[in-house]
Amino acid sequence: MGPARRRAAFRLRGGGSPQILGLLPGKFSIFQLFFAALLLGFVSLLWLQLSCSGEAAGGAGAGAGAGAPRQPCPPQPPAPPADDPAWGPHRLALLVPFRERFEELLAFVPYMHRFLSKKRIRHRIFVLNQVDHYRFNRASLINVGFLESGNDTDYIAMHDVDLLPLNEQLDYGFPEAGPFHVASPELHPLYHYKTYVGGILLLTKQHYEMCNGMSNRFWGWGREDDEFYRRIKGAGLQVRRPSGITTGYETFQHLHDPAWRKRDQKRIAAQKQEQFKVDRDGGLNNVRYRIESRTALSVAGAPCTVLNILLDCDTSETPWCTFG
């Protein structure tokens, strides 16, 4: 190649190394060079993916023996080490009673997974999806979630799907001293009476069993938390609440919009009188249900387990369980 041709190749690039371009064939165009670079980049990425997944190890020589550890792929975030003391020895079962509130669930699962992981709380999120044709029964769903949460969790959070903690100082740790009401009356955006224990309540599994769980007689919205407060007191347990939180009623984000999602507050037949009574016989011992399916899902990268739950109702005991 003469000097004129080498200068022309250099001008075609608009800069760079004339020595390298001078080695190219005389008819090698800028478009061919561009596509060659794309092909080289694609092959490099493919090799990186195969090598980090271990699929390219088959052609390795004796120096890369069969027992050699595989290189982890960069996009995979490391799981918390099982022996890392910073994460603590306990694991939380986050129990989320649910029915047809998908917009809130899509926000809740990834938010709570990030929130708890940042606080180094080992956890599993259980979405307790009621799929029968009875009225919503939050308490029974929590009983089912407790029974189905497995032996690898040792405490629970009864957690509303429409309530997100905004203050990272809120404690979700193991409540060894007794039930811990995260969404206390001083912090909850709506409910401020002193015996309120709804929204977000943490209990060890031992303490929940001491209460015999929650009453299964509360079909429709409300009052099951008030009855559970009496169970806590009857078991000799003391409710504890956050201290030192200065964000007041802005501590949580409440996602519920009452304008378009009406709550089932209807009181049917003897339900008006029954809602203020303490259920001394029922709870974990007599919840009636069937698991239709159990599905592991990932919502925006956050893992959760969805339990499709069919509750059963004895209409001679609680005729208000039906919409009729």
Side-chain angles (χ1 to χ4, degrees):
M1 178 184 292
R5 181 172 291 181
R6 284 197 293 269
R7 286 195 296 271
F10 180 69
R11 286 197 300 271
L12 193 60
R13 286 283 297 166
S17 172
Q19 289 82 7
I20 294 176
L21 289 176
L23 298 175
L24 297 175
K27 295 183 179 179
F28 200 95
S29 71
I30 186 64
F31 300 105
Q32 290 173 315
L33 182 62
F34 174 73
F35 285 114
L38 281 181
L39 180 61
L40 181 62
F42 173 76
V43 172
S44 300
L45 289 174
L46 180 61
W47 176 255
L48 176 63
Q49 180 64 30
L50 290 176
S51 63
C52 77
S53 63
E55 296 177 17
R70 296 177 178 179
Q71 176 187 358
C73 297
Q76 297 178 350
D83 57 349
D84 186 349
W87 286 77
H90 304 287
R91 188 184 299 272
L92 169 67
L94 195 72
L95 307 182
V96 188
F98 179 81
R99 175 183 264 178
E100 298 176 351
R101 301 174 75 167
F102 296 100
E103 299 88 351
E104 296 165 7
L105 186 68
L106 290 176
F108 178 88
V109 171
Y111 183 91
M112 289 306 303
H113 178 63
R114 289 193 302 269
F115 183 89
L116 294 172
S117 297
K118 190 172 183 179
K119 295 176 71 65
R120 289 191 165 93
I121 301 290
R122 301 181 192 272
H123 62 278
R124 295 181 65 192
I125 300 176
F126 293 91
V127 180
L128 312 173
N129 184 30
Q130 184 176 340
V131 296
D132 54 69
H133 297 292
Y134 296 114
R135 299 171 72 192
F136 188 65
N137 192 322
R138 178 178 179 269
S140 288
L141 291 176
I142 293 172
N143 284 339
V144 173
F146 177 89
L147 294 171
E148 298 290 333
S149 59
N151 295 327
D152 61 337
T153 59
D154 54 0
Y155 71 113
I156 67 169
M158 302 154 50
H159 210 301
D160 287 353
V161 71
D162 59 4
L163 203 59
L164 301 181
L166 302 179
N167 192 324
E168 294 182 1
Q169 296 180 3
L170 289 169
D171 186 6
Y172 275 74
F174 186 73
E176 186 172 6
F180 186 74
H181 188 210
V182 180
S184 67
E186 297 81 14
L187 304 176
H188 195 284
L190 294 179
Y191 306 113
H192 308 141
Y193 57 95
K194 65 180 182 178
T195 59
Y196 175 68
V197 290
I200 309 167
L201 181 66
L202 309 182
L203 298 96
T204 68
K205 286 193 167 183
Q206 179 185 7
H207 289 159
Y208 194 76
E209 288 179 328
M210 287 171 59
C211 299
N212 190 23
M214 303 184 77
S215 172
N216 301 300
R217 299 178 65 84
F218 289 86
W219 300 88
W221 182 82
R223 298 295 184 185
E224 75 283 345
D225 293 322
D226 297 334
E227 197 271 351
F228 189 62
Y229 176 80
R230 299 187 183 98
R231 289 178 177 236
I232 292 173
K233 304 299 286 186
L237 300 172
Q238 184 68 39
V239 176
R240 298 160 49 248
R241 293 190 165 105
S243 60
I245 303 297
T246 60
T247 44
Y249 297 150
E250 296 182 356
T251 303
F252 301 94
Q253 180 182 359
H254 194 230
L255 301 177
H256 184 78
D257 184 358
W260 63 276
R261 191 182 295 280
K262 303 295 183 182
R263 284 172 169 152
D264 177 17
Q265 296 179 296
K266 187 180 295 185
R267 297 293 180 259
I268 300 171
Q271 189 177 12
K272 289 184 179 179
Q273 292 73 38
E274 288 282 335
Q275 66 183 343
F276 297 107
K277 295 180 180 179
V278 177
D279 179 9
R280 303 189 184 280
D281 300 317
L284 279 175
N285 62 313
N286 69 348
V287 60
R288 298 163 56 179
Y289 71 97
R290 179 167 62 88
I291 300 297
E292 183 182 70
S293 64
R294 179 189 296 260
T295 307
L297 291 180
S298 176
V299 181
C304 67
T305 300
V306 178
L307 302 179
N308 284 343
I309 300 169
L310 292 159
L311 296 178
D312 194 12
C313 171
D314 183 350
T315 54
S316 65
E317 286 290 324
T318 55
W320 51 86
C321 64
T322 65
F323 288 99

